[in-house]
Amino acid sequence: MLLSVIAVILGFAIVIKGADWFVQGAGATARNLGVSPLVIGLTIVGLGTSAPEMLISAIATLEGNSGLAVGNALGSNITNIALVLGITALVVPLVVRSETLRREYPVMFLIMLVSLMLVADGELGPLDGLILLTGMVLMLWWMVLLGKRKDHDPLEAEYASEIPTMTTPRALLWLVIGLVLLLASSRALVWGAVNIAHFFGVSDLIIGLTIVAIGTSLPELAASLMGALRKEPDIAIGNVIGSNMFNLLVVLGIPGLLGPVALEPEVLSRDFPVMIGLSIALFVMAYGFRGDGKINRFEGGLLLLAYVAYLTLLYFNIQQA
């Protein structure tokens, strides 16, 4: 048990560092090749911050722990909105000025609805996974088109300041080292998390929704807090929206493609409704129907309370099981 806890703690620490090096190496390489900062931010950064969830999802599914993979996808989305944005808004109220993010809100809802339709039969199969992963390719293509538009967007300058300057060989070295660290730490993390779940007699789904989801959302928390403190609030919310879309399309798509996966009933009756409800709350708070959107400290507190309520619900569900 002690070894499993150590594997999870070290796994989280190395996953975060590996994801950071991977994103910086990939971002610097892309900029050296002439890719615009906005395109890099919308695609490479979004994929990079979701890299821990993707690798954990693939490893967990291949090892027969698909519940952990599904829980990680949905739990990360819930954690991103309620915990990450809740804490960030409590520290620094978030003002949204980016037109790009306004375009991404409806796309995020569309992805959620498609995902819900695909799993409504209680199973996530290869065709479902293929549809979701195809959606990821289409979304990346759409984001590249957005990034190539000549309209000025506050995200352009914000992402430009975040991408490190380094030589291409050094950037490629960081990218490779980051990827290796991600692979090794994800494997250790899944092994430890599954052992902890079995020790306490809870399902892989619950561990994915809680411990793994919180751990893999730490990069988003760090990025959002730093973005807000640097007066770059669009990055703070952009990281969460981008990560949530990638989580549904890729992290949920991978177990489907490697499946079929039978979903626990609570996924549809509890977790999907909570994720959709929080997404609607985010839209109402941050869209800005008459100007700039804003998530103030009071609304950040409400998001944080919603997360505590969700964890409480999970606790009582475990007690009743």
Side-chain angles (χ1 to χ4, degrees):
M1 179 61 185
L2 178 60
L3 191 59
S4 297
V5 172
I6 293 172
V8 169
I9 293 172
L10 287 179
F12 281 142
I14 299 172
V15 154
I16 293 169
K17 195 62 182 176
D20 183 46
W21 284 2
F22 177 82
V23 169
Q24 292 195 42
T29 300
R31 183 158 69 176
N32 291 347
L33 294 174
V35 181
S36 79
L38 187 56
V39 172
I40 293 171
L42 292 174
T43 56
I44 294 173
V45 173
L47 276 170
T49 54
S50 292
E53 288 94 332
M54 295 177 197
L55 289 172
I56 288 169
S57 178
I59 292 170
T61 304
L62 289 171
E63 295 184 351
N65 304 109
S66 53
L68 191 150
V70 173
N72 187 22
L74 302 183
S76 291
N77 282 14
I78 291 168
T79 303
N80 282 345
I81 295 175
L83 182 66
V84 172
L85 287 184
I87 291 176
T88 305
L90 279 175
V91 175
V92 181
L94 301 171
V95 179
V96 186
R97 300 180 300 273
S98 170
E99 286 300 319
T100 298
L101 293 186
R102 292 171 188 266
R103 296 186 188 102
E104 287 188 359
Y105 285 125
V107 176
M108 183 178 73
F109 279 108
L110 177 62
I111 291 170
M112 278 194 303
L113 292 177
V114 170
S115 302
L116 181 58
M117 290 171 58
L118 292 176
V119 302
D121 59 354
E123 184 177 90
L124 191 60
L127 180 59
D128 301 327
L130 183 61
I131 291 171
L132 290 172
L133 291 172
T134 301
M136 181 207 68
V137 175
L138 293 175
M139 188 184 74
L140 287 174
W141 175 70
W142 173 68
M143 285 184 167
V144 169
L145 292 181
L146 278 182
K148 288 183 175 180
R149 290 170 64 98
K150 300 303 181 183
D151 303 342
H152 173 71
D153 193 297
L155 273 176
E156 179 81 29
E158 292 181 14
Y159 278 127
S161 67
E162 294 293 316
I163 302 169
T165 301
M166 63 180 76
T167 63
T168 300
R170 185 183 176 194
L172 288 171
L173 179 63
W174 279 42
L175 190 154
V176 172
I177 293 175
L179 184 59
V180 171
L181 288 176
L182 278 169
L183 286 168
S185 56
S186 297
R187 174 67 186 84
L189 200 156
V190 169
W191 176 81
V194 170
N195 286 344
I196 291 172
H198 292 166
F199 181 84
F200 286 106
V202 299
S203 68
D204 294 341
L205 174 67
I206 294 294
I207 292 296
L209 287 166
T210 54
I211 295 175
V212 178
I214 293 171
T216 55
S217 292
L218 290 178
E220 282 84 0
L221 177 59
S224 294
L225 279 173
M226 290 305 298
L229 291 172
R230 291 173 181 170
K231 309 300 181 183
E232 298 170 342
D234 293 305
I235 281 186
I237 296 182
N239 284 336
V240 166
I241 295 175
S243 176
N244 281 18
M245 292 192 290
F246 284 122
N247 283 343
L248 288 175
L249 292 173
V250 187
V251 183
L252 196 61
I254 289 172
L257 196 64
L258 300 174
V261 173
L263 302 177
E264 295 185 26
E266 291 80 9
V267 170
L268 293 172
S269 64
R270 179 192 62 205
D271 306 318
F272 252 99
V274 169
M275 180 182 68
I276 292 173
L278 285 170
S279 299
I280 292 172
L282 173 62
F283 178 79
V284 172
M285 292 176 185
Y287 186 82
F289 296 94
R290 297 181 180 178
D292 294 340
K294 185 175 182 179
I295 303 179
N296 56 37
R297 286 191 172 91
F298 174 74
E299 291 166 336
L302 290 179
L303 290 174
L304 207 53
L305 283 175
Y307 189 68
V308 173
Y310 176 65
L311 292 182
T312 304
L313 176 62
L314 291 181
Y315 173 79
F316 283 115
N317 285 170
I318 293 171
Q319 296 300 311
Q320 295 169 3

